Structure formats: structure tokens, C-alpha cells
Amino acid sequence: PEGRNRINIRKNIDYSSLNDEIDRVLAADFSQIELYLELGRLVSGKPEKGAAVMAAEYITANYPDRTGFSPRNLRRMRGFYRIYEGHPEVFKQAMEVGWTQNIVILEADLDMEGRSWYLRAVRQFGWSKAELTGQIAANAHLQRANEESIPDGERDGLPEALPLRVERLLRFLGHAVAFWEKLCYNGPWQLHFPRQTGIIGEAYG
């Protein structure tokens, strides 16, 4: 049968050299992202489609205490290595970001410039997986790029990138808290209302 022939073909491939390299990498003192990169490089060096599956099976069988090495994740490691292999600067940025956020960026429909933007933004803003996913869905990198290309005096009324909007909201909330504190403790409120509303309007537009 066809399925049995496919199994036999896969079993006839000699993966002993790959397995030896996996042993070496797992024994080394790598960080998680460095380890995943090395495994991705090893799997990428094998032309067979089943290399990621075989590597996952070998790790599961010989290192039962190690987790995170499913066939799907090994394929992701291979993709991670291949996509940044020819882009050393972006590759360096990716090495400084957690694996979960790297996967979100890796699997998003982005060009290399967009990947670089989100890698920098993750480090700057400390975005979680959910926050990063939302930013990518909102095309935050395009909004920020458009805003940065417009002179300061011409930006009024234009949509802002989400981080900037959050920053303005926080400033607005700070002014609002100060306003209500003065309203409650300094009275009378009529004396403070025009000045404070002017501050709030200036902060939030």
C-alpha cells in the first residue's frame, strides 16, 4: 500500500548524523532561543521533508524530560532559521525577543522591514503575545511609518499608531485624576472647571 511505502522510505534514510548533532546541541549551555535556532539550522540542513518529524521523535524518545519539541515546533524552528539566515541585523533583533513573540512575527504576513519593526517594538514596549497579535492586526507599523513621514504641523486629525494613542490616553487620565482631586478638596468647583477642562482638552485633543 502507498502509506506503507512512504513509511519504509522514511525509515531507510540515515538520520544518525542528525541525531548526533541534536545530542551535541541539547548538551550545550544554550538559551532557549539559541537552542531553537541551532535545532532549526540542523533540520534546515536536511533536504528530506520528514526531517523535522524525525528530529521531534528522536528528542521525545531520548529526552523525555525536555518539552517544546513537537514536529510543529521543529518546523517553526526551521522556518525561524531560514527566514533570518540572510538578514543578520534582523536576526540579531530576533535573538533578543522571546520565542512566543517570535512565532507571532514569524507566522504573520510581513516583509522583512515589518518584522524588524515589530521585533524592535516588542523590546521597547514589552508586548505580550495578545498585544503583539493585536498590533499586527491593526497594522501598527504602517500607521507609525505614515505618521513619521508627515511634518509635525500636518498631523492633526490623522489616526495614530496604537502606542501613541495609549500614551495620550494615559496623559488624559492623569489630568482627569488631578482635576477631580482639586474639585473634591480645593473647591469651589466653578473656579477650577474652565482651567481643568482646558488642560484635558489639550491633552486628548
Side-chain angles (χ1 to χ4, degrees):
E2 183 181 353
R4 185 178 301 168
N5 288 337
R6 286 202 299 268
I7 293 174
N8 288 337
I9 292 174
R10 192 183 75 170
K11 285 185 176 180
N12 287 333
I13 298 173
D14 183 9
Y15 286 103
S16 58
S17 61
L18 175 62
N19 295 339
D20 290 342
E21 286 297 302
I22 289 174
D23 291 335
R24 179 187 62 79
V25 168
L26 291 178
D29 186 21
F30 287 132
S31 67
Q32 182 192 55
I33 196 72
E34 290 171 335
L35 173 61
Y36 287 1
L37 170 70
E38 284 298 308
L39 289 174
R41 180 182 63 80
L42 294 178
V43 174
S44 180
K46 290 291 182 179
E48 299 84 12
K49 292 182 178 180
V53 175
M54 294 302 296
E57 291 180 356
Y58 178 80
I59 295 173
T60 299
N62 292 276
Y63 300 89
D65 295 334
R66 307 291 290 262
T67 59
F69 300 101
S70 65
R72 182 183 183 187
N73 218 19
L74 264 295
R75 284 190 287 267
R76 285 170 165 170
M77 296 173 201
R78 177 176 60 194
F80 177 72
Y81 172 79
R82 287 179 176 177
I83 201 166
Y84 295 125
E85 183 180 7
H87 303 273
E89 291 301 320
V90 186
F91 169 77
K92 182 179 178 181
Q93 295 169 355
M95 294 295 289
E96 298 173 345
V97 172
W99 181 244
T100 300
Q101 287 87 344
N102 260 305
I103 290 301
V104 173
I105 295 171
L106 178 68
E107 297 181 345
D109 185 16
L110 297 166
D111 58 19
M112 193 56 62
E113 184 177 352
R115 297 182 196 281
S116 177
W117 191 93
Y118 284 107
L119 288 168
R120 294 195 308 270
V122 167
R123 291 199 64 204
Q124 180 178 353
F125 299 110
W127 288 336
S128 65
K129 176 183 177 180
E131 290 169 331
L132 174 59
T133 301
Q135 294 285 348
I136 292 175
N139 288 320
H141 67 299
L142 298 180
Q143 295 185 48
R144 179 62 67 90
N146 290 337
E147 182 177 274
E148 290 175 348
S149 67
I150 299 172
D152 292 341
E154 300 178 15
R155 293 182 183 179
D156 292 342
L158 293 174
E160 298 173 311
L162 293 185
L164 296 181
R165 190 169 299 160
V166 170
E167 291 170 6
R168 296 192 70 186
L169 176 59
L170 291 176
R171 288 200 303 269
F172 161 70
L173 292 175
H175 286 299
V177 170
F179 164 51
W180 286 113
E181 286 179 348
K182 290 185 178 182
L183 181 66
C184 293
Y185 297 108
N186 293 341
W189 70 268
Q190 291 92 345
L191 298 178
H192 299 280
F193 183 79
R195 183 167 61 87
Q196 294 296 337
T197 52
I199 293 175
I200 293 173
E202 181 183 353
Y204 200 57

